[in-house]
Amino acid sequence: MPSSSMGSTAKPQTGAMATVTKGLFQKSLRDIITGIRANKDRQKDYMNKCLQDIRAEVITSDIRTKAVAIEKATYLHSLGFNMNWASFHVVELMSTQNVKYKRVGYLAATQSFGDDTDVVLLIPNLLKKDLASPNPAEAALAISCLGNIVTPELSQTLVADVYSLLNNHKPELRRRACLCLYKCFLRYPEALRPSFARLTECLEDDDQTVVQAAVTVLSELAMHNPKTYLPLAPKFYKLLTTSSSNWMTIKLVKVFGALTPLEPRLAKKLVGPLSEILETTSAKSLLYECIRTVVAGVTSQEE
């Protein structure tokens, strides 16, 4: 009958329809930031309510809704709200084929994963796959994330994959690989010896950003054991006399500050370049490192 059909109860939304509806009414990250600013008197209550909504949204099968939820959880994590409960969902985003959503997952992992995160055991193969990806964006995401969350186990498993990127045709990936290797060496020192020769070759790379990355890594390593890096003094000296980057010059001057006490001839060799820097630079940080090196290294040799 027409009258009975008009008065019947509507069926509840299920499946794909419910997912679409949830996505339509889902708050964006911008909405949450606006809401936090608008609720100055009860920000904590507002953020707790947002966190409840995020927990409900993140279990969806819709990848876009999940990505927005993780994006919001990552922001709240930066404000002090723990997101360890979302670790598995972060891994799901990291493994998606869509780079846009993969980026959200990798950012969340970078911000929230640590040595005690259980799901780190699930990601070595995922990182290995993305490090070898022909898409530079995927490889860059993986290598940046690894540098921040590396554990001894991850370093041992993936250091060879990072090392292989030193031969990549993209300067950006070679630069990232240099910096990531340093983090791997700290957690798995046995990887340094087989990687050392290729890393020093990066000092002569055609791209200056790669050279600067190699100088940064080698200078930090030299602080721990200067004697091992004395054979690199000629290369460091050449870079010091040709560098146009204050950042790289600071690193090189700092290295020579550690090397000059071990090699008396270096002190005389450095007088010219250091004098020129002291007379021409306006960078206070560079002046400081030059004076420090002169006081600690050069003057001790003169005595």
Side-chain angles (χ1 to χ4, degrees):
M1 296 173 61
S3 58
S4 61
S5 62
M6 289 290 290
S8 61
T9 305
K11 294 182 180 180
Q13 293 178 339
T14 58
M17 182 61 71
T19 300
V20 170
T21 303
K22 183 181 290 186
L24 287 174
F25 294 99
Q26 184 184 29
K27 289 181 180 178
S28 67
L29 177 58
R30 181 187 292 271
D31 294 332
I32 284 188
I33 295 174
T34 302
I36 291 173
R37 292 174 178 174
N39 290 270
K40 294 182 179 179
D41 297 331
R42 52 185 191 89
Q43 283 186 346
K44 189 173 182 179
D45 293 338
Y46 178 80
M47 287 188 282
N48 280 325
K49 175 62 171 63
C50 290
L51 200 57
Q52 291 177 6
D53 294 340
I54 292 169
R55 284 176 176 269
E57 295 165 358
V58 80
I59 61 176
T60 180
S61 59
D62 180 64
I63 194 65
R64 179 190 174 281
T65 304
K66 187 185 294 288
V68 173
I70 292 298
E71 190 177 44
K72 294 184 293 186
T74 305
Y75 176 74
L76 292 179
H77 178 78
S78 70
L79 299 180
F81 289 81
N82 192 293
M83 64 174 294
N84 289 343
W85 54 270
S87 297
F88 185 77
H89 301 293
V90 170
V91 174
E92 285 184 311
L93 279 182
M94 293 168 65
S95 61
T96 186
Q97 297 300 311
N98 190 311
V99 177
K100 176 182 176 181
Y101 301 137
K102 183 185 286 286
R103 183 178 289 111
V104 175
Y106 270 111
L107 174 61
T110 299
Q111 295 293 323
S112 63
F113 283 11
D115 288 356
D116 58 344
T117 304
D118 295 337
V119 296
V120 168
L121 299 173
L122 303 176
I123 64 175
N125 288 335
L126 169 62
L127 289 170
K128 186 181 285 286
K129 174 176 171 290
D130 284 343
L131 286 170
S133 172
N135 185 344
E138 292 184 352
L141 287 173
I143 202 168
S144 296
C145 180
L146 178 61
N148 284 279
I149 68 171
V150 64
T151 63
E153 293 76 18
L154 282 177
S155 180
Q156 186 175 3
T157 303
L158 299 170
V159 69
D161 300 273
V162 178
Y163 175 85
S164 66
L165 287 174
L166 292 178
N167 299 316
N168 194 279
H169 68 284
K170 291 280 187 181
E172 173 65 14
L173 291 181
R174 297 200 301 274
R175 178 182 69 82
R176 289 175 184 263
C178 279
L179 298 174
C180 186
L181 278 174
Y182 175 67
K183 293 295 189 71
C184 292
F185 297 154
L186 293 180
R187 304 307 301 270
Y188 182 59
E190 291 83 354
L192 176 57
R193 186 179 294 275
S195 306
F196 186 76
R198 179 66 186 93
L199 189 61
T200 57
E201 290 175 4
C202 290
L203 293 173
E204 300 174 346
D205 196 276
D206 295 334
D207 188 272
Q208 278 300 298
T209 62
V210 178
V211 175
Q212 290 175 16
V215 167
T216 299
V217 171
L218 291 170
S219 65
E220 292 299 322
L221 292 172
M223 295 299 107
H224 298 287
N225 187 13
K227 188 176 180 180
T228 304
Y229 297 85
L230 264 177
L232 294 178
K235 289 185 178 182
F236 286 147
Y237 182 83
K238 181 181 178 181
L239 290 171
L240 179 66
T241 56
T242 58
S243 172
S244 59
S245 165
N246 282 344
W247 171 258
M248 188 164 74
T249 305
I250 288 172
K251 291 294 183 181
L252 291 166
V253 171
K254 197 172 181 179
V255 169
F256 281 118
L259 297 182
T260 46
L262 303 175
E263 175 52 70
R265 291 173 296 179
L266 273 178
K268 294 181 180 179
K269 192 79 172 175
L270 288 171
V271 170
L274 292 182
S275 298
E276 182 179 352
I277 293 172
L278 288 169
E279 292 171 0
T280 58
T281 188
S282 59
K284 301 297 183 184
S285 54
L286 181 52
L287 281 173
Y288 169 79
E289 287 299 339
C290 286
I291 294 171
R292 184 171 176 271
T293 297
V294 169
V295 171
V298 178
T299 55
S300 65
Q301 292 299 329
E302 291 179 352
E303 292 175 1

